[in-house]
């Protein structure tokens, strides 16, 4: 019957509709990508700009005071280092539009502001402008002399040269213009404006050779692999210059520092251009990158205008998405929250390069014999690692000065606030991580890509092993994405809100969401099954029903003192290590991942898969109780096998014993929930007035050894705790009241802790001391500590029972 067959016309119509949707998706995707092309994607530098292109144009900033000869060596700033500044970072930043960073540098007597703004348009990812300002600090002399170097490097195919009829004259009382082109960027120009500020008249005879009232430019052509080391290059160049000046004027009559530490004015063609300006007192200049395919070149006036509009746009959006809730309503929390969030998102980087991997697949890495860790250590000692790649990664990072690179399980935490702000960006980062996966489904825990990244890591920590895992936290982010999709389809009014609030083609357009998930689904499965296979536990000695399902897991790569792969490095575990031990945190993570996979499979209508995941989930939830609940200790514990081949629990109360709860596997009706909450709230165990301790105060290992995960408070785990408490508090059940109280108190404590340290020191910290609340270990740890932004924006459930006590 004709009516059962769609007519040709209808088919054509449908096809053209599909084509239209696909074209729309592609169009929005292109726009989304273009607005992400440029950024301060070199977060290891105080200020460095690059596009998300492996080999291309980059820019970076160096500065120092030039008041005396000695301090220049130590004070030239370039890469972020701990303990040299009094605070720095983005006060406001949005990846799509830009923002402002302030840098407080007492040793150089100066405060620096870097503003970075994007200008969309054209076919090559648009243009951008940066404004660099210096203001002598209160205690510095108002005619403080500062030397500033802005540089550009160019890698890959293309060219870059200083523009001007007579290049040697360029720079005199004028803007400096670089003309360039490359495959991906097309034609472009970079204008470094003359800007404003006074220049020292040094009075020394050498001033005639190098008048400091003009910009000095030094162009060079170098091997590409040298280009990331601009500071040593600059130093060796300066040394040559100094030698010549001394030779000319004699050691008794050296020019003053402002004069002597200057580059030779030699503008031209090259893949490195150092542009130096020497100032007395405050200064300001712009770097304006204009893509030739954009409608017009950008100017300083436009930059001024855009800075204002980006700032007000940011503030409005921030209020919409992350407004701190009671009791954190005072202005100061707003500023604090903006700064933490901006540093998280302003810390996003683009990395490219090769990395060291041990692909020996040595049988010792199976770790299936007693004493396995010694054999594994011996195998590692053979140093069979080789360089692989290159690969690329777009990611945020835990800390700009100390670990400016990607860490797998950190990233899942980083993206939880980011996805509220910008869904497309988040999905892009997730995709970037999953693209690193090898054929077996492995993703390296720590991504140390390229020579620049490796230069910060001791050799023994550089190697990644393809049997090492790390918690699959990216699945928490995918779950959050599904939550947003569900919220959208169940409530059409929230659809508008959601899509307006977040840059979010994937939410606005269901076809795009499906397309995205379909594309990554095979990778998700590969990763999931890699986990199940490579981290499987040997549960034959556990004489319970659990055995039948095999749902028990063991982290590979442990040593007696560490399970770095678990992320909780030195948390106490079974002693001695045993091939039959089972880790409750790993089973919990796999439970979380299984639930997430089940939801994705359901969303994609992969019903066989969904049924398979459901089966695993059920077994995991059962085994968490069967294998890991200790009646004696009333908590969840690791398990191991003793000398008599008997299995037993290894109980060290702390984050590990909370894991089933933290990963959402202990619901409001669980018969274990009461005990879990009691443990959380017990001041002699995990509770402190500053947040939940990693290890119980009453554990024999509390604050012992390295004391990394043996007591100190970590924000990532506390975030999971406070969210799960909120979850329980918002559902009917026997523990609802208890959870509500714990939630309110914990939330208040966590925010106060991070806020107080920030106020006192100007920084967010890696962890916090449970006795004093003070931030400790890595300074400027803007990774998962920024989760406090989300904690502040969670609801106040008790109508003002707790107050802001500050
Ligand atoms: C070693 C030293 C200059 C340790 O935040 C990143 C990780 C976490 O994933 C992990 O859970 N941190 C936590 O226990 C920091 C790891 C840093 C290793 C760098 C090289 C550099 O020396």
């Amino acid at each position: 019957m004709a009516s059962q067959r769609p007519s040709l016309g209808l088919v054509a119509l449908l096809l053209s509709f599909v084509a239209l949707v696909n074209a729309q998706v592609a169009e929005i995707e292109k726009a989304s990508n273009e607005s992400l092309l440029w950024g301060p994607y070199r977060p290891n530098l105080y200020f460095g700009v690059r596009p998300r292109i492996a080999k291309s144009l980059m820019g970076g900033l160096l500065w120092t005071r030039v008041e005396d000869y000695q301090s220049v060596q130590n004070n030239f700033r370039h890469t972020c280092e701990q303990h040299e500044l009094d605070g720095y970072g983005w006060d406001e930043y949005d990846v799509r539009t830009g923002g402002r960073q302030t840098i407080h540098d007492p040793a150089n007597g100066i405060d620096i502001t870097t503003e970075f703004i994007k200008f969309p348009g054209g076919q090559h990812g648009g243009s951008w402008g940066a404004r660099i300002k210096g203001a002598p600090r209160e205690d510095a002399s108002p005619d403080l002399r500062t030397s500033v170097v802005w540089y550009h490097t160019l890698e890959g195919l293309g060219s870059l040269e200083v523009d001007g009829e007579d290049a040697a004259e360029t720079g005199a009382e004028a803007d400096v213009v670089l003309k360039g082109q490359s495959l991906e960027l097309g034609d472009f120009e970079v204008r470094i404006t003359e800007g404003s500020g006074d220049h020292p008249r040094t009075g020394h005879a050498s001033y005639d050779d190098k008048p400091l009232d003009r910009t000095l430019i030094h162009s060079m052509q170098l091997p590409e692999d040298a280009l990331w080391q601009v500071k040593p290059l600059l130093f060796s160049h300066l040394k040559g210059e100094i030698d010549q000046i001394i030779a000319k004027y004699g050691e008794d009559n050296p020019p003053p520092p402002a004069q002597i530490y200057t580059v030779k004015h030699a503008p031209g063609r090259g893949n490195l251009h150092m542009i130096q300006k020497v100032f007395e007192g405050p200064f300001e200049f712009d770097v304006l990158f204009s893509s030739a395919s954009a409608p017009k070149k950008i100017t300083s006036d436009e930059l001024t205008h855009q800075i204002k509009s980006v700032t007000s746009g940011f503030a409005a959006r921030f209020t919409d998405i992350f407004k701190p809730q009671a009791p954190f309503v005072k202005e100061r929390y707003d500023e604090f929250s903006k700064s933490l969030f901006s540093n998280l998102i302003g810390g996003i980087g683009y990395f490219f390069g090769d990395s060291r991997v041990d692909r020996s697949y040595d049988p010792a890495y199976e770790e299936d014999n007693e004493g396995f860790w010694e054999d594994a250590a011996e195998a590692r000692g053979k140093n069979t690692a080789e360089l692989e790649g290159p690969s690329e990664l777009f990611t945020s990072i835990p800390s700009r000065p100390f670990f400016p690179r990607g860490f797998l399980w950190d990233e899942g935490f980083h993206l939880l606030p980011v996805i509220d702000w910008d869904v497309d960006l988040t999905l892009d980062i997730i995709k970037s991580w999953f693209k690193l996966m090898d054929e077996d489904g492995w993703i390296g825990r720590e991504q140390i890509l390229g020579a620049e990244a490796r230069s910060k890591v001791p050799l023994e920590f550089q190697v990644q092993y393809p049997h090492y895992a790390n918690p699959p936290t990216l699945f928490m982010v995918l779950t959050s994405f599904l939550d947003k999709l569900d919220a959208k389809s169940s409530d059409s009014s929230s659809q508008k809100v959601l899509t307006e609030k977040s840059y979010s083609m994937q939410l606005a357009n269901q076809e795009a969401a499906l397309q995205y998930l379909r594309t990554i689904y095979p990778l998700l499965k590969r990763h999931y099954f890699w986990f199940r296979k490579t981290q499987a536990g040997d549960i034959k000695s556990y004489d319970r029903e659990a055995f039948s399902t095999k749902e028990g897991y063991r982290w590979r790569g442990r040593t007696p003192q560490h399970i770095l792969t678990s992320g909780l490095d030195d948390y106490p575990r079974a002693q001695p290590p045993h091939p039959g031990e089972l880790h409750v945190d790993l089973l919990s993570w796999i439970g979380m991942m299984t639930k997430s996979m089940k939801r994705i499979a359901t969303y994609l209508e992969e019903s066989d898969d969904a049924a398979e995941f459901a089966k695993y989930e059920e077994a995991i939830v059962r085994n968490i109780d069967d294998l890991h609940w200790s009646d004696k200790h009333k908590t969840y514990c690791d398990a191991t096998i003793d000398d008599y081949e008997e299995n037993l629990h290894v109980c060290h109360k702390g984050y590990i014993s909370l894991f089933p709860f933290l990963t959402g596997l202990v619901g409001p009706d669980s018969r274990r929930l009461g005990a879990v909450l009691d443990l959380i709230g017990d001041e002699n165990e995990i509770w402190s007035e500053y947040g939940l301790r990693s290890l119980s105060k009453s554990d024999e290992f509390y604050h012992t050894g390295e004391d990394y995960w043996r007591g100190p408070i970590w924000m990532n785990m506390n975030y999971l705790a406070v969210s799960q408490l909120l979850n329980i508090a918002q559902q009917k059940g026997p523990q609802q009241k208890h959870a509500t109280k714990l939630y309110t108190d914990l939330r208040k404590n966590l925010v106060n802790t991070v806020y107080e340290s920030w106020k006192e020191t100007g920084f967010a910290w890696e962890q916090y001391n449970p006795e004093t609340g003070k931030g400790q270990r890595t300074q400027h740890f803007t990774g998962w500590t920024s989760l406090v932004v989300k904690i502040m924006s969670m609801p106040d459930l008790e109508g003002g029972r707790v107050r802001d006590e500050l």
Side-chain angles (χ1 to χ4, degrees):
M1 275 191 300
S3 64
Q4 286 190 337
R5 276 218 232 130
S7 71
L8 273 182
L10 186 58
V11 171
L13 194 71
L14 276 173
L15 283 178
S16 66
F17 175 72
V18 170
L20 187 74
V21 169
N22 282 337
Q24 261 174 12
V25 170
E27 193 56 35
I28 311 172
E29 202 161 53
K30 184 162 170 275
S32 166
N33 278 339
E34 297 214 329
S35 63
L36 293 178
L37 181 68
W38 287 100
Y41 295 145
R42 307 175 74 190
N44 61 317
L45 305 186
Y46 286 122
F47 185 52
V49 178
R50 68 170 297 167
R52 296 198 301 170
I53 299 172
K55 286 171 177 277
S56 186
L57 181 75
M58 302 209 266
L61 181 71
L62 296 117
W63 74 91
T64 181
R65 68 191 278 162
V66 277
E67 302 272 282
D68 61 276
Y69 295 102
Q70 292 73 36
S71 60
V72 175
Q73 294 232 14
N74 304 322
N75 284 12
F76 238 121
R77 309 293 185 216
H78 183 222
T79 53
C80 301
E81 304 296 337
Q82 294 199 81
H83 311 296
E84 65 177 27
L85 300 184
D86 251 16
Y88 60 97
W90 297 92
D91 308 319
E92 290 176 357
Y93 192 74
D94 178 1
V95 271
R96 306 283 175 178
T97 54
R100 183 188 61 251
Q101 173 178 233
T102 48
I103 300 170
H104 307 287
D105 186 354
N108 280 320
I110 199 151
D111 288 335
I112 304 257
T113 307
T114 65
E115 282 156 323
F116 176 80
I117 302 287
K118 301 194 188 191
F119 292 81
Q123 271 77 61
H124 297 92
S127 306
W128 54 267
R131 175 157 295 167
I132 294 152
K133 285 191 272 196
R137 289 167 64 88
E138 262 177 24
D139 50 358
S141 111
D143 44 8
L144 172 83
R145 291 174 173 185
T146 308
S147 194
V148 185
V149 176
W150 174 260
Y151 67 85
H152 280 291
T153 57
L154 181 72
E155 291 173 65
L157 290 178
S159 68
L160 191 61
E161 67 186 300
V162 178
D163 190 35
E165 299 276 281
D166 175 4
E169 285 306 308
T170 309
E173 301 274 348
D175 296 355
V176 171
V177 176
L178 300 178
K179 293 256 180 218
Q181 54 95 15
S182 81
L183 198 61
E184 292 90 346
L185 299 175
D187 289 318
F188 59 85
E189 76 160 49
V190 193
R191 175 175 294 268
I192 294 102
T193 66
E194 190 195 348
S196 62
D198 295 335
H199 304 283
R201 299 212 125 258
T202 62
H204 190 270
S206 62
Y207 191 87
D208 294 339
D209 303 338
K210 285 183 190 172
L212 299 185
D213 60 355
R214 75 173 183 191
T215 304
L216 300 170
I217 310 160
H218 191 79
S219 305
M220 299 163 105
Q221 181 67 36
L222 292 161
E224 273 190 5
D225 58 6
L227 289 178
W228 61 271
Q229 311 188 59
V230 170
K231 187 164 153 179
L233 287 169
L234 172 66
F235 274 33
S236 78
H237 170 73
L238 289 178
K239 187 165 179 309
E241 284 297 285
I242 292 168
D243 290 346
Q244 281 185 30
I245 293 181
I246 300 285
K248 187 162 171 190
Y249 298 101
E251 279 195 40
D252 310 334
N253 181 26
Q259 183 79 54
I260 203 165
Y261 292 107
T262 47
V263 300
K264 180 186 169 101
H265 186 59
R269 230 170 200 278
N271 58 4
L272 169 62
H273 301 265
M274 298 188 282
I275 294 133
Q276 184 174 36
K277 291 169 181 286
V278 186
F279 294 105
E280 202 164 271
F283 60 85
E284 174 179 324
F285 63 93
D286 298 339
V287 180
L288 306 168
F289 171 94
S290 296
S291 169
S293 67
K296 59 186 169 66
K297 290 181 188 170
I298 56 172
T299 63
S300 287
D301 283 348
E302 279 160 349
L303 181 58
T304 307
H305 180 255
Q306 269 314 101
I307 288 172
K308 286 200 194 103
S309 107
V310 163
T311 295
S312 61
F314 178 85
R317 235 173 131 237
F318 196 86
T319 305
D320 257 8
I321 298 173
F322 289 124
K323 179 149 200 55
Q325 298 301 307
F328 308 107
V329 292
K330 300 219 175 87
E331 181 71 31
R332 54 181 181 243
Y333 294 106
D334 222 49
E335 187 200 338
F336 166 59
S337 189
K338 278 182 187 153
S339 157
L340 287 194
F341 179 73
S342 299
N343 279 310
L344 173 67
I345 210 160
I348 290 174
Y350 173 85
F351 303 90
F352 176 81
D354 48 12
S355 59
R356 233 176 263 286
V357 181
D358 177 345
R359 293 266 180 203
S360 65
Y361 298 101
D362 195 300
Y365 294 150
E366 317 245 317
E367 303 184 359
D368 50 11
N369 56 302
E370 286 187 30
F372 66 85
W373 65 96
E374 283 164 8
D375 299 342
E378 197 175 306
R380 286 195 300 268
K382 291 180 198 157
N383 291 323
T384 44
E386 282 174 34
L387 286 173
E388 284 192 354
S391 36
E392 63 173 355
L393 179 62
F394 186 50
T395 185
S396 46
I397 55 163
S399 161
R400 286 172 63 189
F402 208 48
F403 346 106
R405 52 185 176 273
F407 285 81
L408 180 54
W409 91 299
D410 295 61
E411 195 56 17
F413 289 104
H414 299 158
L415 294 181
L416 291 174
V418 174
I419 196 172
D420 292 343
W421 182 265
D422 190 325
V423 176
D424 294 352
L425 164 71
T426 306
L427 296 179
D428 212 49
I429 292 177
I430 291 178
K431 202 193 265 172
S432 183
W433 273 95
F434 282 129
K435 276 194 194 153
L436 295 171
M437 195 179 298
D438 74 2
E439 279 174 16
D440 300 324
W442 171 72
I443 305 174
R445 174 169 65 98
E446 189 174 344
Q447 293 294 325
I448 313 169
L449 305 183
E452 181 172 13
R454 277 197 297 279
S455 73
K456 280 235 163 185
V457 187
L459 193 64
E460 73 264 31
F461 293 110
Q462 289 179 12
V463 180
Q464 305 295 305
Y465 297 88
H467 58 295
Y468 284 15
N470 202 207
T473 55
L474 292 175
F475 287 81
M476 302 191 299
V477 188
L478 291 169
T479 299
S480 164
F481 177 47
L482 292 174
D483 288 344
K484 287 179 196 294
L485 286 168
D486 284 356
K488 182 197 131 182
S489 57
S490 71
D491 171 8
S492 63
S493 68
S494 78
Q495 167 171 358
K496 194 168 156 286
V497 178
L498 276 169
T499 49
E500 265 173 17
K501 277 189 182 174
S502 17
Y503 295 104
S504 182
M505 140 178 71
Q506 270 87 354
L507 289 187
N509 183 327
Q510 163 140 24
E511 193 50 42
L514 279 167
Q515 211 170 295
Y516 177 86
L517 288 170
R518 269 197 207 109
T519 313
I520 61 164
Y521 187 63
L523 292 175
L524 300 182
K525 274 176 80 173
R526 203 198 289 169
H527 192 50
Y528 177 82
F529 286 104
W530 176 88
F531 252 97
R532 297 180 61 88
K533 188 170 128 207
T534 63
Q535 312 296 306
D538 176 3
I539 66 176
K540 63 177 174 301
S541 316
Y542 297 81
D543 52 356
R544 310 188 194 178
E545 237 185 87
F547 175 62
S548 63
T549 65
K550 310 266 194 301
E551 297 298 328
Y553 294 90
R554 171 168 66 103
W555 294 108
R556 297 306 193 274
R558 78 160 286 187
T559 63
Q561 291 309 317
H562 293 102
I563 307 187
L564 297 180
T565 53
S566 76
L568 278 64
D569 305 8
D570 63 335
Y571 194 99
R573 303 280 187 159
Q575 289 302 349
H578 192 284
E581 74 193 64
L582 299 176
H583 300 127
V584 64
D585 52 331
L586 183 50
L587 181 58
S588 306
W589 282 123
I590 292 181
M592 180 281 291
M593 178 161 53
T594 306
K595 280 174 79 174
S596 175
M597 285 303 286
K598 187 182 77 177
R599 262 181 88 181
I600 297 167
T602 308
Y603 191 82
L604 293 177
E605 296 175 358
E606 298 281 352
S607 42
D608 291 353
D609 286 1
E612 186 182 349
F613 294 128
K615 199 180 74 194
Y616 298 146
E617 179 189 344
E618 203 190 300
I620 289 170
V621 170
R622 205 171 57 232
N623 284 8
I624 281 181
D625 260 22
D626 281 2
L627 292 168
H628 292 289
W629 177 262
S630 158
D631 271 331
K632 184 168 152 223
H633 294 95
K634 298 270 171 296
T635 193
Y636 294 105
C637 305
D638 285 346
T640 195
I641 310 293
D642 68 11
D643 291 347
Y644 310 99
E645 295 297 306
E646 293 288 328
N647 60 68
L648 70 159
H649 283 125
V650 181
C651 298
H652 297 282
K653 289 177 183 166
Y655 293 163
I656 293 291
S657 39
L658 298 179
F659 251 91
F661 174 73
L662 298 177
T663 46
L665 302 171
V666 178
D669 299 321
S670 160
R671 61 197 171 115
R672 310 296 185 205
L673 184 59
V676 170
L677 298 190
D678 287 343
L679 176 61
I680 287 180
D682 189 338
E683 290 179 23
N684 294 315
E685 307 265 18
I686 298 180
W687 187 270
S688 88
E689 60 174 303
Y690 304 107
L692 304 183
R693 302 176 157 93
S694 40
L695 187 62
S696 161
K697 201 174 160 184
S698 60
D699 191 89
E700 57 175 313
F701 295 111
Y702 185 64
H703 282 333
T704 62
E706 289 158 38
D707 193 18
Y708 201 27
W709 292 84
R710 294 186 173 192
I713 296 164
W714 293 79
M715 275 312 133
N716 59 337
M717 292 291 119
N718 273 281
Y719 168 78
L720 295 183
V722 84
S723 339
Q724 290 305 329
L725 288 170
L726 174 61
N727 187 26
I728 305 285
Q730 287 177 324
Q731 296 174 63
K732 289 240 158 353
Q735 296 297 327
Q736 188 175 20
K737 260 183 96 176
H738 192 185
T740 305
K741 175 158 192 323
L742 289 171
Y743 163 77
T744 304
D745 291 334
L746 180 59
R747 174 171 172 264
K748 183 201 74 179
N749 291 347
L750 295 171
V751 175
N752 282 349
T753 300
V754 182
Y755 175 75
E756 279 290 281
S757 259
W758 179 79
K759 197 179 65 175
E760 191 189 318
T761 65
F763 290 102
W765 295 83
E766 186 178 16
Q767 50 168 237
Y768 294 85
N769 185 296
E771 277 73 42
T772 64
K774 298 230 182 289
Q776 56 187 33
R777 295 266 178 161
T778 302
Q779 191 194 47
H780 210 321
F781 190 96
T782 49
W784 59 41
T785 300
S786 323
L787 282 165
V788 72
V789 169
K790 262 180 93 78
I791 300 177
M792 275 186 272
S793 72
M794 288 175 172
D796 171 23
L797 295 185
E798 293 188 73
R801 178 174 65 78
V802 298
R803 290 177 194 288
D804 155 27
E805 284 153 9
L806 304 167

